[in-house]
């Protein structure tokens, strides 16, 4: 075998390896959730802003977490500082790990909203992010009633929801939640839940405004947009942005 022939074979092998490595990447890019096709986004701490935010109609902005340490509830402020954003509608997302929250902590959450409004942002709502178990939805509803009673009339209340709330929980109980919208997440962590579509039919039983949360680059069969749109209460999708 001549030197030129051997070099040609090596080159072909390298090209073959690159084609095998790149093929799955191309496939994921084509089948995954393309954020440029949406207008509502979550922007969590540590996630860099993307050009798609220029087209946003609503932004769910992570602003901190209420945790309980050494017997005391604390609000950890996180995310970008208070500023004026170009979002037509802004939601301040607060992660909650306990429902045993004293009134001062709820007041602190409302003070945070007042700062965002004072900075020139209009239509600012509060979103509670809490992973309540299906059998604890009654206690969660009681907590949300406390929050609702604190909020001014011009402040809408949103909550994130787990996929199994509607399927294994009580849909009628969900419909009684004192919220303006429920955003059901189809992902856990940074990946789409396996067999997420098996949970979606139960959402058609909701009579409160609801949306579906998707993760960027994750799975989403767009046929569900048409099926869920049969409900007058379906308000579209929200994409959780990733780096």
């Amino acid at each position: 075998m001549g030197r030129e022939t051997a070099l040609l074979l090596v080159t072909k092998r390298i090209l073959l390896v690159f084609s095998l490595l790149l093929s799955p990447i191309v496939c994921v890019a084509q089948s995954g959730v393309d954020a440029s096709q949406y207008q509502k986004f979550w922007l969590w701490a540590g996630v860099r802003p993307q050009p798609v935010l220029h087209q946003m109609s609503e932004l769910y902005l992570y602003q901190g977490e209420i945790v309980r340490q050494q017997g005391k509830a604390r609000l950890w402020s996180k995310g970008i500082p208070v500023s004026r954003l170009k979002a037509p509608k802004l939601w301040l997302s607060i992660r909650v790990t306990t429902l045993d929250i004293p009134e001062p902590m709820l007041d602190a959450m409302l003070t945070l909203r007042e700062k965002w409004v004072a900075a020139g942002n209009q239509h600012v709502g509060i979103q509670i992010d809490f992973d309540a178990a299906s059998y604890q939805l009654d206690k969660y509803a009681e907590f949300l009633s406390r929050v609702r009673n604190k909020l001014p009339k011009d402040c809408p209340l949103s909550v994130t929801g787990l996929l199994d709330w509607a399927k294994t929980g009580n849909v009628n109980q969900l419909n009684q939640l004192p919220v303006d919208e429920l955003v059901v997440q189809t992902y856990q962590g940074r990946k789409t839940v396996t067999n997420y579509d098996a949970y979606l039919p139960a959402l058609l039983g909701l009579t409160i405004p609801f949306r579906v949360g998707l993760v960027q680059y994750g799975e989403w069969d767009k046929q569900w947009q048409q099926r869920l749109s049969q409900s007058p209460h379906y308000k579209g999708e929200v994409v959780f942005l990733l780096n």
Side-chain angles (χ1 to χ4, degrees):
M1 180 184 297
R3 183 175 180 180
E4 293 183 358
T5 302
L7 182 60
L8 180 60
L9 287 175
V10 171
T11 302
K12 288 182 176 180
R13 288 173 182 172
I14 293 175
L15 291 175
L16 177 60
V17 170
F18 269 103
S19 66
L20 291 174
L21 289 174
L22 291 175
S23 294
I25 297 176
V26 173
C27 179
V28 169
Q30 290 177 343
S31 61
V33 173
D34 180 0
S36 67
Q37 304 299 311
Y38 300 87
Q39 294 182 318
K40 302 176 183 67
F41 306 103
W42 270 295
L43 184 61
W44 223 244
V47 178
R48 295 184 297 273
Q50 301 180 21
V52 294
L53 291 177
H54 291 296
Q55 67 196 39
M56 65 182 170
S57 62
E58 297 184 38
L59 180 64
Y60 295 77
L61 186 66
Y62 178 62
Q63 279 292 282
E65 183 173 353
I66 296 179
V67 298
R68 196 162 190 85
Q69 288 187 327
Q70 299 178 347
K72 295 183 179 180
R74 303 177 184 273
L75 173 59
W76 285 357
S77 296
K78 298 182 181 180
I80 67 174
V82 176
S83 56
R84 184 173 182 177
L85 303 180
K86 294 183 178 180
K89 189 169 186 178
L90 180 65
W91 298 90
L92 306 180
S93 292
I94 308 294
R95 175 70 178 161
V96 174
T97 59
T98 175
L99 299 182
D100 185 14
I101 300 175
E103 295 300 311
M105 284 296 96
L106 298 182
D107 293 335
M109 187 169 58
L110 297 183
T111 299
L112 177 64
R113 176 186 180 267
E114 292 171 359
K115 291 180 179 179
W116 279 93
V117 173
N121 299 283
Q122 298 181 348
H123 307 294
V124 181
I126 295 290
Q127 181 180 67
I128 302 297
D129 179 28
F130 179 67
D131 297 337
S134 298
Y135 65 87
Q136 291 182 323
L137 285 174
D138 55 342
K139 294 182 180 179
Y140 191 33
E142 293 176 2
F143 168 77
L144 293 174
S145 294
R146 288 180 57 205
V147 177
R148 167 64 81 187
N149 291 334
K150 282 276 187 179
L151 297 179
K153 292 182 179 180
D154 64 342
C155 179
L157 178 61
S158 169
V159 292
T160 61
L162 303 179
L163 274 174
D164 65 348
W165 277 8
K167 185 176 181 180
T168 63
N170 188 327
V171 175
N172 292 329
Q173 199 172 32
L174 290 177
N175 291 329
Q176 298 301 316
L177 291 178
V179 298
D180 295 287
E181 70 164 20
L182 167 64
V183 187
V184 181
Q185 298 165 313
T186 61
Y187 60 92
Q188 188 172 27
R190 299 296 186 267
K191 295 184 179 180
T192 304
V193 173
T194 303
N195 298 327
Y196 72 94
D197 50 346
Y199 296 86
L200 297 181
L203 300 183
L204 292 173
L206 292 172
T207 57
I208 58 174
F210 71 98
R211 292 173 172 163
V212 169
L214 312 176
V215 63
Q216 189 175 18
Y217 312 123
E219 299 177 34
W220 176 240
D221 186 345
K222 288 191 174 182
Q223 292 183 1
W224 279 105
Q225 289 177 330
Q226 298 178 352
R227 293 188 62 180
L228 293 176
S229 293
Q230 296 174 9
S231 168
H233 308 289
Y234 185 57
K235 306 302 178 182
E237 300 86 33
V238 183
V239 177
F240 187 96
L241 297 177
L242 301 176
N243 286 326

